[in-house]
Amino acid sequence: MKKIDKHIEEQVEKTLGAFDGIERARPKPFLYTRLQARLESKDEHSLQTRILSPVLQRLAVIMIMLVIVFNIYTATRFFISPAATDSLSNSEQLFVEEYYPSTPTLYNISQLTINP
Amino acid sequence: MINLKVKVNDVMGNTDHILVEELKNGDEGAFRQLVDDYQDKVFNTCISFVKNADDADDLTQEVFIEVFKSINKFRSDAKLSTWIYRITVNKSLEYLRKMKRKKRSAIFNWISKEDQESKLQVPDFDHPGVLAENREKARILFDAIEKLPEKQKIAFTLHKLEDLSYEQIAEIMQKSLSSIESLMHRAKNNLQKELYDYYNS
């Protein structure tokens, strides 16, 4: 039993000394060239993002503005008071008549109040 | 003898100071010199932690890019080598944590099982600088180091594989000399236990 313990101890000590006489590992040749290429590509990438992101930001703002302007335009064009319909063209008047009728239809007859 | 050591340190300090000033001025020649001077130290430290030559090469490049980008933050009163070693250790540990996170998330993702097996299983690692007759034992020792707590692992690796003194390790890890001595003592005890269990099983 003691013999086995001693053998294990020896193995442990030998293993702990496995790094004795170790030499430094060296990188593959031309590290500087590879590093330079990487630095250049990083510069290029950051330059692209620096240029592209403001362009994309501006495009997004323009798109949002266009959507808002379109909404305002359609709202003012079609959702107007009946008094203003006189100034509309025939087709526009037909459109207003169809969607905003001045006389009650079967769909909204239930909402009417009947005077006794 | 002591005077000579002080003089050598003075000369080294001055050389570092000049190099740092040139780097801060964007001198490409100075950067090339820095890479030439430190590439072996950085690569050896990286490979000792990550145990893969390609990843270590990649990390070495990242260390120098970091040095290049943040040289203006470097304080002139600090030692250049200490600063570079600190960046190297941090990058290596960052890489190991990233790999651990990937491994953990891959456990829940059965789709990437194959990828996980091919990428994350640490193969038996042979450090290129280990003597041929010690290769088998070195492999066992590397496996045991892997099981040490992080700070013990850093101290032991820098001392045994990069041959740094306790004083240098204390500067790199920003700890007192006595705490490095204590870390090394605990690391050796833990390794002995780990290896005893290994040979006993």
Side-chain angles (χ1 to χ4, degrees), chain A residues 60-76:
Chain A
V61 170
I62 291 167
M63 288 294 286
I64 292 165
M65 295 287 280
L66 278 173
V67 169
I68 292 168
V69 167
F70 180 75
N71 279 343
I72 292 169
Y73 172 77
T74 48
T76 52

Side-chain angles (χ1 to χ4, degrees), chain A residues 5 8 11-13 15-16 18-20 22-28 31-32 34-36 38, chain B residues 28 32 39-41 43-44 57-58 61-62 127 129-130 134 137 141 145 161-162 192 196 199-200:
Chain A
D5 274 358
I8 291 173
Q11 290 295 316
V12 169
E13 284 311 308
T15 309
L16 280 171
F19 293 158
D20 291 347
I22 195 168
E23 283 179 15
R24 261 200 191 116
R26 292 175 200 284
K28 283 182 270 178
L31 178 82
Y32 187 75
R34 277 177 281 138
L35 186 59
Q36 237 179 348
R38 195 158 161 180
Chain B
E28 206 194 316
R32 183 186 273 271
Q39 59 177 335
D40 291 354
K41 291 172 188 168
F43 180 78
N44 190 52
D57 196 272
D58 212 42
Q61 291 180 42
E62 275 183 34
H127 188 287
V130 170
N134 288 342
K137 295 257 183 296
L141 185 54
I145 293 170
L161 290 152
E162 200 33 45
Q192 264 171 342
Y196 193 88
Y199 286 112
N200 207 19

Side-chain angles (χ1 to χ4, degrees), chain B residues 45-59:
Chain B
T45 309
C46 288
I47 202 171
S48 302
F49 281 107
V50 305
K51 299 176 184 68
N52 178 300
D54 289 333
D55 292 340
D57 196 272
D58 212 42
L59 277 174

Side-chain angles (χ1 to χ4, degrees), chain B residues 185-199:
Chain B
H185 181 71
R186 276 182 281 153
K188 280 176 193 166
N189 278 348
N190 285 336
L191 286 174
Q192 264 171 342
K193 269 184 221 157
E194 192 63 47
L195 293 172
Y196 193 88
D197 288 347
Y198 173 82
Y199 286 112

Side-chain angles (χ1 to χ4, degrees), chain B:
Chain B
M1 185 68 185
I2 293 166
N3 279 342
L4 188 69
K5 215 174 181 180
V6 170
K7 273 183 184 171
V8 168
N9 280 342
D10 275 356
V11 172
M12 288 294 281
N14 277 338
T15 323
D16 269 4
H17 186 72
I18 295 164
L19 189 65
V20 169
E21 284 310 309
E22 285 171 345
L23 283 168
K24 283 183 179 174
N25 292 331
D27 186 336
E28 206 194 316
F31 186 58
R32 183 186 273 271
Q33 196 196 321
L34 178 97
V35 174
D36 283 347
D37 289 351
Y38 284 94
Q39 59 177 335
D40 291 354
K41 291 172 188 168
V42 171
F43 180 78
N44 190 52
T45 309
C46 288
I47 202 171
S48 302
F49 281 107
V50 305
K51 299 176 184 68
N52 178 300
D54 289 333
D55 292 340
D57 196 272
D58 212 42
L59 277 174
T60 305
Q61 291 180 42
E62 275 183 34
V63 168
F64 285 114
I65 289 170
E66 180 73 35
V67 169
F68 178 77
K69 281 200 299 194
S70 49
I71 191 70
N72 286 315
K73 290 181 203 160
F74 175 72
R75 295 189 337 266
S76 310
D77 58 319
K79 249 187 185 168
L80 184 63
S81 60
T82 305
W83 185 59
I84 294 175
Y85 270 121
R86 200 175 297 149
I87 294 173
T88 309
V89 171
N90 286 339
K91 287 263 175 208
S92 302
L93 295 178
E94 213 173 89
Y95 168 88
L96 290 176
R97 282 184 207 124
K98 208 166 96 183
M99 294 310 271
K100 234 179 215 175
R101 273 202 302 274
K102 264 191 186 175
K103 198 175 181 178
R104 238 178 266 151
S105 65
I107 289 167
F108 298 103
N109 192 357
W110 64 271
I111 300 165
S112 63
K113 202 180 170 188
E114 266 179 41
D115 185 44
Q116 175 203 344
E117 275 170 7
S118 63
K119 262 194 157 181
L120 296 169
Q121 244 177 25
V122 181
D124 282 339
F125 168 68
D126 280 328
H127 188 287
V130 170
L131 299 173
E133 64 262 32
N134 288 342
R135 209 154 278 171
E136 184 61 40
K137 295 257 183 296
R139 234 180 265 168
I140 298 164
L141 185 54
F142 268 118
D143 278 349
I145 293 170
E146 205 53 48
K147 286 166 191 156
L148 287 177
E150 193 173 87
K151 280 176 186 152
Q152 292 177 28
K153 195 200 287 186
I154 298 168
F156 192 86
T157 305
L158 290 177
H159 183 61
K160 290 287 178 183
L161 290 152
E162 200 33 45
D163 203 21
L164 296 183
S165 66
Y166 286 6
E167 286 88 351
Q168 285 171 302
I169 298 169
E171 282 173 15
I172 293 163
M173 293 178 76
Q174 293 172 304
K175 288 194 175 294
S176 67
L177 187 60
S178 57
S179 59
I180 298 299
E181 283 168 350
S182 157
L183 274 177
M184 283 299 293
H185 181 71
R186 276 182 281 153
K188 280 176 193 166
N189 278 348
N190 285 336
L191 286 174
Q192 264 171 342
K193 269 184 221 157
E194 192 63 47
L195 293 172
Y196 193 88
D197 288 347
Y198 173 82
Y199 286 112
N200 207 19
S201 61

